[in-house]
């Protein structure tokens, strides 16, 4: 589904990604871990097409298409979803209005008819249970006055409604208490499917106790230093990142 | 942020969608202004003697006045002798009595604007008193309103048919001496709307007038007077667009509202006059005096405006809270793009006890637009327990525009409670990217953010107007709304 080959990118002329290679197949969950500043969030943002992230080399093929050639809104419409590390507030725009506008933009792109208000509400009410979110939040302005946990649940709700092919969750676990973490994780688990790939970007192994990854990659200094199965995450939990990022001193961390 | 600015910049460059000129023979008096001009206008309209005398008094006073300079707007001096003060489309001498008699070209113009009269008659339940240049060409639903005793007609007709009401109330809220433009208007006003709602009557439909400026170089001097008797209610909608023109066009309207005991007047405006090209050439100058008086206890006057057009807007819809427990409200969205300048706000003058006022102002500046909120909250000595709440929010798009806030607060009574909140923000790249990542186009994302910013005002608009206002904002900023 997603092939990243020798991807290089810089922010403000500073190289951050220095040659990423990654293969993600439909149905898989990949965890991308790494120390702060390793380029994890940059990778997520480059895939989503954020400005100010300049691709300087390599290629990304998504469902047979050159992902990097697509405008960010077209990537979204083609099924790439980014759950934001810091979801933004949009005053005066109700949550449900955004959800409906987004879903209909995507449906239109696929040549499907737009959903009317009644069908849409039914759909959303089914999805909201997945993330244990209060229905009242649907009618509030997007993320305005939401707690940290509510914002992250809202991201997963959007993901549930938009049903992406490729979901990238950028530090979705950061700042969450254990209840919110469980709710978010169960939402994500409910969305695991054979048609969908999920990339979890995270600093901590904690999230992986709830969402079990098929593959774990360690990103450091703009490169994937090590890949493995979920055992690698446990290894990192015990030993930290030092033994990977500083191979010379790796024998005695 | 630079890239987000560039993107917004690209989005807001759009052409005026209502720019066209209808070829109609105009029955115009030559340019220039003296007492003779005023006598001609008055004679053409078959006005009673009191009206001519009032015009002449205003004209003589106007001669003693000078152009106000305090507003935060800049433009070359206006040559008042180079303006045509009267023009009427030629559609038969006595004016049409039904739509069938209206010049088909005129109807076509309205259809281009998306306001076909025939459809409006049947659909929205809106009675339309359409003003094309300076004379009303069609008035609908008149009979139905007449059964309730409601008068809704052109100002000229009111002068002829209801001279006593006009004489009693005209200039009672905005005297002819009030300011330079109001004095000019009082001298030369051409036409406008008149509404009278009798005691205890709730007007069953929104009353609506579409203004449109057409003939070249014709100053438009609309005069509107709305009177709500004791316990009456009326909601009035005013919407405007204008065709593209090279020379600046002056528009100096006066609107007076009178609400007696327990009466309520809701006045909503969507204004989309030609703002000029990207360099500001050819746009409308909109210098308007709008004021309402709460003359009886518990009276309420609400102004809601969405201002997206004009090269220069100078406008302060105000409420004089004369009676106890009366309420004044002002909800405003003002958008300036390219080289547009807006100096707008309100005056709330608290005279009676327990008077309350609310001011919500949303200014959006894009391109090189300059947007100024200027507001006065005045609590007089006798106004016990008066309250005011003011909120002024500014949204900046790009880095070449400006937002300015000049709140004036004068409190002469220690029991008053006056609150003022103000914010200034920018559309952030984070907000844009968030919406785009959810599948929205950049245009729709900007539109959604701006409409969200204006929500507190839009919810005060009547339903059909709220939709139009959102559309307008979309058109004014990027050409299309999803």
């Amino acid at each position: 589904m997603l092939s990243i080959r020798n991807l290089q990118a810089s922010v403000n002329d500073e190289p951050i990604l220095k040659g990423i290679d990654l293969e993600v197949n439909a149905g898989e969950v990949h965890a991308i871990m790494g120390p702060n500043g390793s380029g994890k969030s940059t990778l997520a943002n480059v895939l989503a097409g954020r400005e100010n992230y300049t691709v300087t080399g390599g290629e990304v093929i998504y469902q047979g298409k050159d992902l990097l050639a697509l405008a960010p809104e077209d990537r979204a419409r083609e099924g790439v979803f980014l759950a934001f590390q810091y979801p933004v507030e949009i005053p005066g725009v109700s949550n449900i209005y955004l959800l409906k506008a987004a879903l209909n933009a995507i449906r239109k792109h696929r040549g499907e008819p737009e959903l009317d208000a009644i069908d849409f509400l039914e759909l959303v009410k089914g999805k909201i249970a997945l993330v244990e979110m209060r229905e009242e939040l649907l009618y509030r302005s997007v993320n305005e006055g939401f707690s940290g946990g509510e914002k992250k649940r809202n991201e997963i709700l959007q993901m549930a409604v938009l049903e992406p092919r490729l979901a990238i969750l950028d530090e979705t676990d950061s700042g969450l208490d254990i209840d919110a973490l469980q709710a978010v994780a169960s939402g994500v688990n409910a969305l695991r499917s054979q048609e969908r790939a999920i990339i979890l970007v995270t600093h901590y192994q904690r999230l992986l106790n709830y969402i079990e990854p098929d593959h774990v990659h360690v990103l450091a200094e703009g490169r994937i230093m090590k890949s493995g199965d979920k055992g690698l995450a446990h290894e990192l939990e015990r030993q930290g990142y030092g033994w990977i990022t500083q191979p010379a001193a790796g024998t005695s961390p | 942020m630079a890239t987000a600015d560039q993107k917004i910049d690209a989005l807001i460059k759009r052409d005026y969608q209502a720019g066209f000129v209808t070829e109609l023979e105009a029955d115009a008096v030559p340019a220039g202004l003296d007492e003779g001009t005023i006598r001609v206008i008055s004679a053409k309209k078959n006005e009673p003697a009191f009206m001519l005398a009032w015009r002449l008094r205003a004209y003589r006073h106007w001669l003693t006045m000078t152009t106000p300079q305090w507003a935060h707007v800049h433009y070359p001096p206006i040559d008042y002798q180079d303006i045509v003060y009267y023009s009427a489309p030629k559609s038969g001498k006595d004016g049409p009595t039904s739509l069938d008699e209206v010049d088909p070209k005129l109807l076509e113009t309205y259809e281009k604007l998306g306001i076909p009269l025939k459809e409006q008659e049947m659909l929205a339940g809106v009675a339309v008193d359409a003003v094309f240049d300076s004379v009303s060409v069609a008035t609908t639903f008149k009979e139905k309103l007449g059964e309730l005793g409601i008068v809704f007609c052109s100002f000229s007709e009111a002068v002829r048919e209801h001279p006593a009401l006009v004489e009693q109330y005209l200039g009672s809220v905005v005297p002819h001496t009030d300011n330079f433009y109001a004095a000019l208007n009082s001298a030369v006003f051409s036409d406008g709307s008149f509404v009278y709602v009798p005691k205890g009557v709730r007007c069953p439909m929104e009353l609506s007038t579409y203004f449109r400026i057409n003939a070249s170089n014709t100053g438009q001097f609309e005069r509107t007077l709305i009177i709500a008797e004791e316990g009456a209610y009326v909601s009035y909608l005013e919407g405007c667009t204008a065709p593209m023109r090279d020379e600046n066009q002056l528009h100096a309207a006066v609107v007076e509202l009178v609400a007696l005991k327990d009466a309520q007047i809701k006045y909503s405006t969507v204004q989309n006059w030609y703002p000029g090209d990207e360099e500001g050439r050819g746009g409308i100058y909109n210098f308007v005096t709008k004021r309402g008086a709460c003359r009886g206890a518990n009276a309420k006057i609400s102004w809601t405006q969405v201002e997206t057009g004009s090269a220069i807007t100078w406008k302060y819809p105000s409420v004089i809270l004369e009676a106890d427990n009366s309420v004044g409200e002002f909800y405003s969205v003002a958008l300036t793009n390219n080289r547009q300048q807006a100096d707008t706000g309100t005056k709330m003058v608290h005279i009676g006890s327990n008077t309350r006022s609310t001011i919500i102002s949303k200014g959006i500046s894009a391109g090189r637009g300059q947007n100024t909120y200027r507001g006065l909250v005045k609590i007089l000595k006798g106004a016990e327990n008066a309250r005011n709440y003011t909120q002024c929010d500014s949204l900046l798009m790009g880095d070449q525009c400006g937002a300015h806030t000049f709140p004036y607060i004068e409190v002469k009574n220690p029991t008053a409670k006056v609150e003022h909140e103000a914010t200034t923000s920018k559309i952030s790249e984070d907000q844009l990217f968030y919406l785009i990542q959810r599948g929205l186009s950049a245009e729709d994302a900007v539109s959604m953010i701006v409409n969200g910013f204006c929500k507190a005002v839009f919810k005060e608009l009547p339903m059909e107007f709220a939709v139009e206002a959102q559309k307008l904002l979309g058109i004014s900023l990027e050409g299309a709304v999803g």
Side-chain angles (χ1 to χ4, degrees):
Chain A
M1 172 180 285
L2 182 73
S3 296
I4 303 176
R5 290 169 203 154
N6 192 29
L7 180 63
Q8 298 159 52
S10 60
V11 180
N12 297 330
D13 293 329
E14 191 191 333
I16 306 289
L17 301 182
K18 298 168 185 167
I20 303 273
D21 291 287
L22 186 65
E23 290 289 328
V24 178
N25 297 311
E28 293 177 349
V29 175
H30 288 242
I32 300 198
M33 304 184 67
N36 290 328
S38 58
K40 302 189 299 289
S41 283
T42 299
L43 177 60
N45 281 304
V46 166
L47 293 178
R50 188 166 198 146
E51 287 192 47
N52 299 339
Y53 290 80
T54 313
V55 175
T56 52
E59 63 175 2
V60 179
I61 304 299
Y62 166 73
Q63 292 191 316
K65 288 184 179 136
D66 177 1
L67 184 73
L68 301 176
L70 292 177
E73 61 267 34
D74 288 329
R75 297 184 199 189
R77 292 167 188 169
E78 290 280 333
V80 177
F81 178 91
L82 174 63
F84 285 73
Q85 183 176 5
Y86 305 107
V88 297
E89 300 183 359
I90 305 180
V93 176
S94 78
N95 219 3
I96 192 157
Y97 181 71
L98 167 59
L99 277 171
K100 183 163 175 270
L103 180 63
N104 280 334
I106 290 168
R107 288 179 67 94
K108 196 174 162 194
H109 181 75
R110 291 192 199 133
E112 295 167 7
E114 298 193 356
L115 284 187
D116 64 25
I118 295 164
D119 291 342
F120 177 72
L121 196 60
E122 209 164 297
L123 173 85
V124 171
K125 283 187 173 168
K127 305 287 186 183
I128 199 168
L130 283 179
V131 289
E132 299 166 41
M133 204 169 98
R134 288 182 294 140
E135 198 180 319
E136 178 238 337
L137 295 181
L138 285 176
Y139 304 100
R140 294 241 305 262
S141 292
V142 177
N143 293 322
E144 199 178 40
F146 284 28
S147 71
E150 284 168 340
K151 284 182 183 174
K152 296 298 175 74
R153 285 176 208 223
N154 201 26
E155 293 294 291
I156 306 305
L157 172 67
Q158 291 176 359
M159 173 177 158
V161 170
L162 301 181
E163 298 184 325
R165 289 291 173 83
L166 172 66
I168 306 160
L169 280 61
D170 187 9
E171 308 253 0
T172 297
D173 51 332
S174 66
L176 291 189
D177 62 28
I178 198 75
D179 290 340
L181 185 66
Q182 282 177 351
V184 163
S186 73
V188 174
N189 283 328
L191 294 168
R192 286 179 85 148
S193 92
Q194 284 311 306
E195 283 82 50
R196 183 171 294 134
I198 297 174
I199 297 177
L200 301 171
V201 172
T202 181
H203 187 76
Y204 298 105
Q205 190 268 337
R206 189 176 68 147
L207 177 67
L208 308 182
N209 290 334
Y210 301 97
I211 307 171
E212 201 173 285
D214 301 303
H215 303 275
V216 175
H217 312 276
V218 178
L219 187 62
E221 292 162 20
R223 290 189 185 89
I224 289 178
M225 295 288 194
K226 199 167 176 58
S227 295
D229 61 13
K230 64 183 174 180
L232 177 58
H234 292 287
E235 193 76 14
L236 292 166
E237 181 79 351
R238 278 196 305 277
Q239 303 200 44
Y241 290 109
W243 63 283
I244 294 172
T245 57
Q246 297 162 349
T251 45
S252 54
Chain B
M1 191 49 72
T3 49
D5 286 347
Q6 284 160 10
K7 180 177 284 176
I8 290 164
D9 253 18
L11 290 176
I12 59 187
K13 289 202 174 86
R14 93 294 181 233
D15 294 327
Y16 184 71
Q17 301 209 335
F20 47 82
V21 175
T22 307
E23 287 169 33
L24 283 173
E25 258 184 274
D27 169 18
V29 300
L33 181 58
D34 56 22
E35 288 204 5
T37 318
I38 291 165
R39 288 177 197 279
V40 169
I41 293 170
S42 192
K44 274 188 179 287
K45 300 169 83 64
N46 298 316
E47 289 180 346
F50 84 87
M51 203 61 257
L52 176 61
W54 197 78
R55 286 178 182 275
L56 290 172
R57 268 204 307 281
Y59 174 68
R60 286 166 197 150
H61 188 82
W62 178 72
L63 289 175
T64 69
M65 301 174 95
T66 51
T67 319
Q69 299 292 341
W70 44 263
H72 191 77
V73 293
H74 305 279
Y75 56 94
I78 297 167
D79 181 355
Y80 291 95
Q81 295 305 330
D82 196 33
I83 291 173
V84 173
Y85 286 88
Y86 182 82
S87 96
K90 274 187 180 166
S91 305
K93 264 211 149 126
D94 302 308
T97 54
S98 79
L99 284 177
D100 299 339
E101 294 176 32
V102 172
D103 189 327
K105 275 217 162 162
L106 197 54
L107 294 177
E108 215 176 279
T109 304
Y110 286 120
E111 284 185 29
K112 278 189 206 162
L113 280 172
I115 45 164
L117 285 178
K118 286 193 175 178
E119 270 181 40
Q120 285 205 1
E121 256 184 327
M122 291 181 287
L123 293 171
V126 176
V128 176
D129 175 22
V131 175
F132 186 87
D133 269 14
S134 312
V135 166
S136 298
V137 291
T139 303
T140 55
F141 284 101
K142 217 167 170 176
E143 285 163 28
K144 203 169 162 187
L145 294 171
E147 286 167 19
L148 293 163
I150 296 170
V151 180
F152 176 40
C153 62
S154 73
F155 202 93
S156 309
E157 192 180 334
V159 169
R160 290 192 301 269
E161 308 288 327
H162 308 278
L165 280 173
V166 172
E167 194 169 8
Q168 183 184 351
Y169 288 105
L170 180 67
S172 74
V173 186
V174 180
H176 68 268
T177 53
D178 192 81
N179 68 68
F180 184 84
Y181 303 113
L184 179 62
N185 174 288
S186 300
V188 301
F189 71 84
S190 39
D191 211 334
S193 290
F194 177 85
V195 178
Y196 174 81
V197 187
K199 188 173 170 178
V201 172
R202 191 182 164 86
C203 184
M205 61 186 82
E206 316 272 358
L207 302 181
S208 169
T209 303
Y210 283 83
F211 291 94
R212 185 164 170 82
I213 301 175
N214 194 281
S216 167
N217 225 5
T218 301
Q220 277 241 322
F221 301 93
E222 305 289 343
R223 189 91 196 185
T224 295
L225 176 58
I226 299 176
I227 302 150
E229 289 273 15
E230 187 176 329
Y233 168 87
V234 63
S235 170
Y236 185 88
L237 318 181
E238 173 199 27
C240 339
T241 59
M244 202 172 276
R245 272 292 170 191
D246 290 326
E247 286 168 76
N248 287 304
Q249 293 175 303
L250 175 65
H251 184 93
V254 172
V255 176
E256 294 179 280
L257 311 182
V258 178
L260 301 181
K261 185 169 178 280
D262 298 319
Q264 191 181 338
I265 301 175
K266 192 173 165 58
Y267 192 105
S268 311
T269 307
V270 172
Q271 188 266 113
N272 180 30
W273 280 327
Y274 183 53
D277 63 15
E278 279 190 27
E279 295 304 315
R281 284 184 298 253
I284 304 290
Y285 291 180
N286 188 24
F287 303 148
V288 181
T289 306
K290 288 183 166 177
R291 194 175 303 156
C294 289
R295 293 256 160 90
N298 310 312
K300 181 178 176 183
I301 290 177
S302 302
W303 297 101
T304 306
Q305 61 173 23
V306 177
E307 302 279 327
T308 65
S310 298
I312 301 174
T313 302
W314 180 98
K315 178 177 171 186
Y316 315 90
S318 304
V319 184
I320 313 297
L321 299 155
E322 296 173 13
D324 292 352
N325 304 315
S326 56
V327 176
E329 294 174 337
F330 173 74
Y331 302 98
S332 170
V333 167
L335 182 150
T336 53
N337 192 2
N338 294 324
R339 295 204 179 250
Q340 280 178 277
Q341 308 172 63
D343 192 306
T344 183
T346 184
K347 287 190 277 186
M348 293 291 175
V349 181
H350 293 251
I351 299 171
S353 296
N354 301 310
T355 46
R356 282 170 290 145
S357 62
T358 303
I359 299 169
I360 308 282
S361 166
K362 305 276 182 179
I364 302 156
S365 316
R368 292 165 181 266
Q370 293 294 327
N371 211 317
T372 300
Y373 168 81
R374 185 185 305 276
L376 169 68
V377 176
K378 191 169 185 174
I379 315 271
L380 297 188
K381 211 170 174 188
E384 291 289 318
N385 300 313
R387 291 209 310 263
N388 164 265
Y389 173 75
T390 299
Q391 186 186 334
C392 294
D393 297 323
S394 303
L395 186 67
L396 300 172
M397 301 171 76
D399 51 11
Q400 292 185 300
C401 54
H404 316 271
T405 304
F406 301 106
Y408 303 84
I409 300 173
E410 288 175 30
V411 178
K412 302 263 169 60
N413 183 311
T415 61
K417 276 189 197 158
V418 177
E419 287 176 73
H420 181 95
E421 288 180 24
T423 66
T424 301
S425 53
K426 285 189 82 165
I427 287 191
S428 72
E429 198 197 352
D430 286 349
Q431 285 176 323
L432 273 179
F433 183 63
Y434 189 78
L435 296 180
I436 289 168
Q437 213 298 308
R438 294 299 177 253
L440 272 63
S441 68
E443 287 189 354
D444 289 353
V446 169
S447 179
M448 189 179 272
I449 293 166
V450 170
N451 278 308
F453 174 75
C454 300
K455 194 179 192 178
V457 173
F458 286 168
K459 72 181 174 58
E460 298 298 326
L461 287 170
M463 182 67 112
E464 61 268 45
F465 242 31
V467 173
E468 191 170 319
Q470 292 203 9
K471 264 196 222 155
L472 244 189
L473 227 56
I475 289 169
S476 301
L477 284 171
E478 72 262 349
V481 189

